[in-house]
Amino acid sequence: MASPHIVGIAALLKSAHRDWSSAAIRSAMMTTADVTDNADGTIVDMTFGISGCPLDYGAGHVNPNKVLDLGLVYDLEAEDYVNFMCEINYTSGQIKVITRRSNYTYSQANLDLNYPSFILLFNGTNTTSFTFKRVLTNVGTAESVYRAVLWHPKAMKVVVEPMTFSFGGKNSKAKFTMTVENDLSDYKEGYYDISLVMEDIAKFKLLFSVFLLSYIAISSSFAEEYKIYIIHMDKSMMPAHFETNHDWYTSTLSTLSSPEGIEPTHLYTYNHVLDGFSAVLSKSQLDELERMPGHFVTYQESYGKAHTTRSPQFLGLKKHSGLWKAGGFGDDMIIGILDVGIWPESESFKDHGMPPVPERWRGHCETGVDFNTSHCNRKLIGARSFSKGMRKRHLNISTTDDYDSPRDYDGHGTHTSSTAAGSPVSGANYFGYAKGTASGVAPLARLAMYKVLFLNDTYESAASDVLAGMDQAIEDGVDLMSLSLGFDDTPFYENPIAIGAFTAMEKGIFVSTSAGNGGPHSYTINNGAPWITTVGAGTIDREYAAQVTLGEHEAMFTGKSIYPEDLLISGVPIYYGKGNASKEYCDYLSLEPEDVLNKIVFCNFNNETDILSQLEEIQRVRAAGGILVTDSPLFLRPIDFNTPYVGISSTDGYLVRKYVKNAGDSAKVNIKFLITVLDNKPAPQVAYFSSRGPNHWAPWVLKPDILAPGVDILAAWAPNRGFAPIGYGDDLLLTDYAIVSGTSMASPHVVGIAALLKSAHRDWSSAAIRSAMMTTADVTDNADGTIIEMTFGISGSPLDYGAGHINPNKALDPGLVYDLEAEDYINFMCGMNYTKEQIKVITRRSNHTCSQANLDLNYPSFIVLFNNTNTTSFIFKRVLTNVDDSESIYRAVIWHPKSMKVVVEPMTLSFGGKNSKAEFTMTVENDLSDYKDSYYYIEDYGYLSWYEVNGKHVVRSPIVSAFAYGSGKPS
């Protein structure tokens, strides 16, 4: 990737200076290169996290603008390289292979090339010296005088003769010598460098820098590698004279030795999510720290990635009834969003009519690039950013495409925030599509942004930054958190979101996370800890379309299109390559530009065609547009519609073929874009990208928990960030509201609904809120069929959609809940064979025992894991809590496949009143004799539903049979 950048710059230089040799071009780039980064520090070696040297980066980082007018060059001719090869003892045959020459002699053999850099090799003697000879050529047009300026370490003596150079005009030359002498008595091994700088005396400007590097050839080891670590400490060991944990941590770091002169760097002190801090340490410093009293355990830094006008209506939210009314539209709830930042000027974050900020709020808005405290209001009440871990990985924040502040660089954080709690905005739309009033799920809730993702080479977030963001959110006083990001699937004691979410759960903070975009494969779930609500993505009942009219209204139909222009195609000829199969299917390189000029290309469909490849072919020949037959319109995204085309069904494709056959060369078409179709069926469907269960590390809990809208969701966007591609070039249209898909879009829907539930039921725990959402979820779509898995077009299972698609109004009044406390999760971790140390990392507790170890959590779903035996059974134990005000009786109703036997005892439960409890057991036995060994899950599942006798409540839970990943045993 680097080489083509250089050749491009060289092309610019060669065009500007046609008389320059290749050596002159290289010299120009080298002697004007930057040796500092954009933070004015020395260029860092990212492997070790320390300052690099010329053996890493050569003369420095190329600077195209400086290179244009540099003053002097070190030039070379072919003969100079031949003399160099002679000196390195190449034979005449070897030299001829390279040069094709035989008419040369060894009389001018010389290792000292007229090169724009210097290197002096030692052989382990105490002192050594070398005299370099160089010739500089003036490539400027004027006469000039230059003076040498040296920088070098104390152990090196450097003499340049002469120190001043005079040039008569363009192409004039001047010679100098440089003698370098080194005293190696204090050096065992290593390297060091000097700078030789030439200054134009008349212009007083730096024209070029040359780096001289001295390297000890016998060196066999390298500087220590510095890495970021998250250090857990035992608070009970803190000496009494320290007032705070922070003082103890920083004092501990200050006592560590620094043999290379690089002291430990403290990043964050964590006060809630864990007892400890993060820091940049060498391996020897870490070893020293781990031997100190109070050190508990250390984990190395890890990195994670980021995974509406209609969705509130699709969810059934109404102004004057149901959860919106009962939950006060989320009033007084504070939602913390951990994402890529926020665009505070968006209409979705206006605070018109909102009451004062709750007095319990302890957060604030920080000041940074293009962001200050005035950007916050009664809607956006807090905004902070966390980038220390990312920076220490030497991934600097882009100054052109990102902001060193809570401001959104991408649009993702603005989208998720406005989805969860955006204020109502009338007339919101995406270039005319989805026009209406955009509202967050909890429109009166408050928002606080914690920016933990920044634009860099990896698009990753650092665990230390995410933990710091969660820690601060807890300190600030949020009621709920949503994280539309995830880390590689690791044990919970290594996962920053799992660690931070446990403390949040203990403090009554509901945490919603995206399930990940790794579908449709099984065992791809992220964020699978049972104290987190894990959300998959589904479609909604809104589609985007264009209307197609053939000829003089011979046929009219609609097809999928999100082309972002109000374009009316009228009476445009249709091209169809009938009789030539490649042209009919728009195969690669099948179409001719002259045949399709100013025409709409019709592309037929078979099982081998790919609509995106067909679209590329249409774009290659610059047709006016296209009509493409497809069986997968749901898979088309807004960014696919940079040209005016429509995806139609095979039925409508037959109409086009029939019309073209009859009309011949006179076939014409009209197309009208910007059509929004509502009440589309079936919906929801499970998105193809939505990650599937079970969770690899804890398959004894069914994940995902629930499905929520996550496909083609309209919400606020960063208006300065190009979003919609248009035309055949690289142009992008700007928009205030964008249509985006991902489980990232699903999580904020759930956190918004949780805010409404928490507002309506202040005494409910996070587990109770999740239970209410799960046991009232819909398992059928709006066509009264089972929810479909869109990848294969077949019925999905709870491993795709969890308990079902969230239904906010039903969740308001669930009747019964499966509740959980922190101690239950600890017993679960004991059942997973987590060590006492690993449990303490997550819980910060040491006063627990594993006498109640249990993999059977009081969860609102059931999953049975098989190990490839012919039959297996499991007994689940559950406790239900009545959250209704009245006494009630519930009766169990079981639906299950023939291969599954389910027995519930007792079949009837009685509840005396609110908060009364009742226990039951459920035995599930499966016959696997008809199943072969499977690495993946099987499709057996059923439901246990508790029906209220003479009442309205139904409490439903899925029962799933799945093969364990590997052995299925806890590790």
Side-chain angles (χ1 to χ4, degrees):
M1 307 299 108
S3 177
H5 283 86
I6 294 298
V7 81
I9 295 169
L12 298 174
L13 286 172
K14 198 171 184 69
S15 177
H17 299 286
R18 302 291 177 122
D19 59 331
W20 281 12
S21 68
S22 297
I25 292 172
R26 176 178 58 201
S27 174
M29 290 190 283
M30 290 177 64
T31 59
T32 60
D34 292 328
V35 295
T36 57
D37 57 28
N38 60 359
D40 295 326
T42 55
I43 295 175
V44 172
D45 175 351
M46 67 180 289
T47 309
F48 305 113
I50 59 176
S51 295
C53 77
L55 283 175
D56 304 316
Y57 52 69
H61 192 278
V62 68
N63 186 321
N65 295 319
K66 287 183 180 178
V67 97
L68 182 64
D69 180 24
L70 71 160
L72 308 176
V73 296
Y74 293 84
D75 209 355
L76 284 160
E77 298 178 354
E79 198 63 38
D80 299 313
Y81 298 116
V82 173
N83 292 334
F84 180 80
M85 287 184 274
C86 288
E87 185 62 21
I88 59 177
N89 294 329
Y90 276 19
T91 67
S92 58
Q94 292 166 339
I95 294 175
K96 186 175 181 180
V97 167
I98 299 171
T99 67
R100 307 181 315 285
R101 298 185 185 187
S102 56
N103 59 340
Y104 59 86
T105 69
Y106 282 77
S107 60
Q108 301 296 320
N110 185 12
L111 283 176
D112 185 23
L113 273 174
N114 194 46
Y115 214 75
S117 58
F118 307 80
I119 184 167
L120 180 57
L121 296 176
F122 304 148
N123 293 309
T125 57
N126 283 343
T127 59
T128 188
S129 65
F130 190 82
T131 299
F132 298 91
K133 297 178 181 179
R134 291 292 188 271
V135 178
L136 283 162
T137 302
N138 185 15
V139 291
T141 57
E143 296 180 0
S144 54
V145 179
Y146 286 79
R147 182 180 67 242
V149 178
L150 297 166
W151 177 91
H152 57 83
K154 292 180 180 180
M156 182 184 289
K157 180 181 178 181
V158 183
V159 177
V160 174
E161 293 182 350
M163 289 289 287
T164 303
F165 309 87
S166 298
F167 296 88
K170 189 172 183 179
N171 295 325
S172 60
K173 300 179 184 295
K175 298 180 180 180
F176 72 92
T177 62
M178 182 171 68
T179 302
V180 181
E181 184 176 339
N182 291 74
D183 180 2
L184 305 185
S185 57
D186 293 334
Y187 290 86
K188 294 180 179 179
E189 52 189 36
Y191 57 78
Y192 45 94
D193 58 50
I194 71 168
S195 296
L196 167 61
V197 180
M198 301 296 180
E199 291 182 328
D200 186 328
I201 295 176
K203 298 180 181 178
F204 290 100
K205 73 173 184 178
L206 175 70
L207 289 181
F208 64 91
S209 300
V210 183
F211 285 84
L212 171 79
L213 177 107
S214 301
Y215 183 75
I216 302 175
I218 60 171
S219 174
S220 61
S221 65
F222 296 92
E224 277 202 278
E225 184 175 2
Y226 284 75
K227 295 181 179 180
I228 301 172
Y229 297 95
I230 298 170
I231 299 104
H232 297 253
M233 301 290 282
D234 186 345
K235 283 173 61 177
S236 66
M237 299 288 287
M238 185 177 76
H241 63 273
F242 289 111
E243 293 186 1
T244 66
N245 297 338
H246 177 76
D247 293 340
W248 179 35
Y249 303 151
T250 54
S251 175
T252 300
L253 287 176
S254 69
T255 65
L256 300 180
S257 59
S258 304
E260 296 179 346
I262 302 176
E263 296 181 354
T265 302
H266 174 271
L267 298 182
Y268 300 104
T269 289
Y270 305 108
N271 296 310
H272 301 283
V273 295
L274 59 91
D275 295 329
F277 59 97
S278 52
V280 182
L281 304 170
S282 68
K283 183 60 169 65
S284 62
Q285 289 168 340
L286 176 62
D287 292 341
E288 189 178 348
L289 175 63
E290 289 180 332
R291 293 191 296 268
M292 288 185 169
H295 174 268
F296 180 58
V297 67
T298 293
Y299 292 102
Q300 190 175 320
E301 179 81 288
S302 58
Y303 299 91
K305 296 183 178 181
H307 291 169
T308 127
T309 56
R310 180 64 180 174
S311 51
Q313 286 75 19
F314 179 67
L315 292 169
L317 293 169
K318 299 178 180 180
K319 284 186 177 181
H320 304 295
S321 63
L323 183 55
W324 250 359
K325 180 181 179 181
F329 300 91
D331 182 32
D332 200 44
M333 291 291 105
I334 301 171
I335 302 175
I337 305 287
L338 279 82
D339 214 296
V340 305
I342 194 165
W343 196 267
E345 296 88 352
S346 171
E347 290 293 317
S348 290
F349 307 128
K350 300 301 182 185
D351 62 354
H352 302 306
M354 294 195 71
V357 176
E359 292 184 3
R360 57 191 169 85
W361 177 244
R362 299 181 295 273
H364 74 273
C365 281
E366 69 179 38
T367 297
V369 176
D370 288 346
F371 205 100
N372 56 58
T373 55
S374 67
H375 286 113
C376 287
N377 54 24
R378 294 181 178 186
K379 164 59 72 175
L380 178 62
I381 64 174
R384 301 175 187 258
S385 61
F386 302 85
S387 60
K388 292 179 181 178
M390 181 267 295
R391 291 174 191 268
K392 288 301 178 181
R393 196 186 178 193
H394 310 297
L395 299 172
N396 292 326
I397 299 171
S398 171
T399 57
T400 56
D401 298 310
D402 198 355
Y403 306 88
D404 190 1
S405 73
R407 183 172 289 277
D408 190 350
Y409 70 85
D410 170 82
H412 188 276
T414 300
H415 197 281
T416 56
S417 299
S418 60
T419 299
S423 299
V425 178
S426 61
N429 66 91
Y430 174 76
F431 301 104
Y433 293 100
K435 192 171 185 178
T437 298
S439 172
V441 175
L444 289 185
R446 320 304 176 115
L447 284 165
M449 170 54 63
Y450 300 87
K451 182 176 178 179
V452 296
L453 284 151
F454 295 81
L455 182 62
N456 53 59
D457 292 338
T458 66
Y459 296 92
E460 293 178 340
S461 58
S464 56
D465 295 333
V466 172
L467 281 169
M470 298 181 79
D471 196 74
Q472 190 63 58
I474 295 170
E475 174 66 28
D476 290 345
V478 302
D479 300 301
L480 311 97
M481 283 190 221
S482 178
L483 296 91
S484 291
L485 59 96
F487 287 74
D488 288 342
D489 198 20
T490 57
F492 301 145
Y493 52 83
E494 294 180 3
N495 188 296
I497 295 176
I499 293 170
F502 190 91
T503 299
M505 174 273 301
E506 285 187 296
K507 294 181 178 292
I509 299 169
F510 179 91
V511 179
S512 171
T513 63
S514 51
N517 298 331
H521 307 294
S522 60
Y523 285 101
T524 53
I525 282 286
N526 281 331
N527 301 317
W531 48 89
I532 293 172
T533 298
T534 312
V535 188
T539 64
I540 60 175
D541 64 344
R542 179 177 61 197
E543 268 294 347
Y544 310 109
Q547 185 181 75
V548 179
T549 304
L550 302 176
E552 298 298 326
H553 298 276
E554 273 85 349
M556 182 184 295
F557 48 84
T558 60
K560 176 71 174 279
S561 185
I562 322 178
Y563 181 66
E565 281 192 327
D566 190 6
L567 177 68
L568 177 61
I569 293 175
S570 179
V572 177
I574 300 175
Y575 172 85
Y576 178 47
K578 183 171 175 56
N580 183 317
S582 292
K583 295 181 184 292
E584 287 182 10
Y585 297 117
C586 302
D587 291 340
Y588 181 59
L589 298 179
S590 65
L591 303 179
E592 299 296 335
E594 58 270 21
D595 294 340
V596 302
L597 181 66
N598 297 322
K599 295 179 181 179
I600 298 296
V601 177
F602 173 68
C603 301
N604 206 358
F605 168 82
N606 62 27
N607 291 332
E608 296 181 359
T609 57
D610 172 60
I611 190 170
L612 296 181
S613 297
Q614 291 176 322
L615 182 58
E616 288 178 2
E617 177 64 5
I618 292 175
Q619 293 172 349
R620 183 187 67 82
V621 295
R622 298 294 196 267
I627 301 172
L628 293 82
V629 180
T630 178
D631 64 349
S632 53
L634 282 175
F635 293 84
L636 298 174
R637 305 163 298 169
I639 61 173
D640 298 326
F641 290 88
N642 60 318
T643 53
Y645 83 93
V646 189
I648 65 173
S649 68
S650 56
T651 300
D652 294 330
Y654 169 76
L655 295 178
V656 177
R657 294 197 304 276
K658 180 179 178 182
Y659 166 70
V660 172
K661 178 180 179 181
N662 294 332
D665 292 340
S666 63
K668 291 181 171 56
V669 66
N670 299 337
I671 304 176
K672 183 182 185 303
F673 296 93
L674 307 188
I675 294 174
T676 302
V677 181
L678 301 180
D679 300 317
N680 192 58
K681 295 182 180 180
Q685 298 182 39
V686 181
Y688 67 92
F689 55 77
S690 188
S691 290
R692 309 303 208 259
N695 175 253
H696 173 60
W697 294 102
W700 310 277
V701 174
L702 177 63
K703 292 284 182 172
D705 291 311
I706 204 156
L707 198 70
V711 177
D712 289 346
I713 303 302
L714 180 78
W717 198 252
N720 71 335
R721 187 66 60 214
F723 181 83
I726 190 71
Y728 295 114
D730 297 323
D731 293 334
L732 295 170
L733 299 177
L734 303 177
T735 180
D736 292 331
Y737 287 82
I739 294 172
V740 185
S741 300
T743 55
S744 285
M745 286 59 253
S747 177
H749 281 88
V750 168
V751 84
I753 294 167
L756 299 173
L757 290 171
K758 196 173 182 72
S759 179
H761 300 287
R762 303 289 174 129
D763 58 332
W764 281 12
S765 68
S766 295
I769 292 172
R770 176 178 57 202
S771 175
M773 291 190 284
M774 290 177 65
T775 60
T776 60
D778 294 327
V779 294
T780 56
D781 57 32
N782 59 359
D784 294 326
T786 55
I787 294 176
I788 290 174
E789 197 284 313
M790 68 180 282
T791 309
F792 306 108
I794 60 175
S795 295
S797 80
L799 285 170
D800 303 317
Y801 53 69
H805 192 276
I806 193 167
N807 187 319
N809 294 321
K810 287 183 180 178
L812 173 65
D813 184 17
L816 308 176
V817 297
Y818 295 86
D819 210 354
L820 283 161
E821 298 179 354
E823 198 63 39
D824 299 312
Y825 297 118
I826 293 173
N827 292 335
F828 179 78
M829 287 183 268
C830 290
M832 293 175 68
N833 290 340
Y834 276 17
T835 66
K836 186 174 182 179
E837 178 184 272
Q838 292 164 345
I839 293 173
K840 186 176 180 181
V841 166
I842 299 170
T843 67
R844 307 178 324 284
R845 300 184 186 189
S846 55
N847 59 340
H848 63 81
T849 67
C850 281
S851 59
Q852 302 295 317
N854 186 12
L855 287 174
D856 184 25
L857 272 174
N858 194 44
Y859 217 75
S861 57
F862 304 85
I863 183 167
V864 182
L865 292 176
F866 301 145
N867 294 310
N868 300 322
T869 57
N870 281 343
T871 60
T872 188
S873 64
F874 192 84
I875 299 175
F876 298 92
K877 297 179 180 180
R878 290 291 189 272
V879 178
L880 281 161
T881 301
N882 186 15
V883 291
D884 196 50
D885 291 329
S886 60
E887 297 179 357
S888 55
I889 298 174
Y890 285 78
R891 184 179 64 248
V893 175
I894 305 163
W895 178 87
H896 58 85
K898 291 181 180 179
S899 60
M900 182 185 290
K901 180 181 179 181
V902 181
V903 176
V904 174
E905 293 181 349
M907 288 289 287
T908 302
L909 299 177
S910 298
F911 297 88
K914 189 171 185 178
N915 295 325
S916 59
K917 300 179 185 295
E919 300 180 4
F920 71 91
T921 62
M922 181 174 70
T923 303
V924 180
E925 184 175 336
N926 289 73
D927 182 1
L928 304 185
S929 57
D930 293 334
Y931 290 90
K932 296 181 179 179
D933 292 358
S934 176
Y935 183 75
Y936 301 102
Y937 57 81
I938 62 176
E939 295 184 1
D940 269 358
Y941 68 91
Y943 289 97
L944 165 65
S945 300
W946 290 99
Y947 280 79
E948 185 180 15
V949 177
N950 299 321
K952 61 181 180 179
H953 298 113
V954 178
V955 184
R956 181 175 50 243
S957 296
I959 311 166
V960 177
S961 300
F963 281 103
Y965 185 92
S967 68
K969 297 178 181 178
S971 58

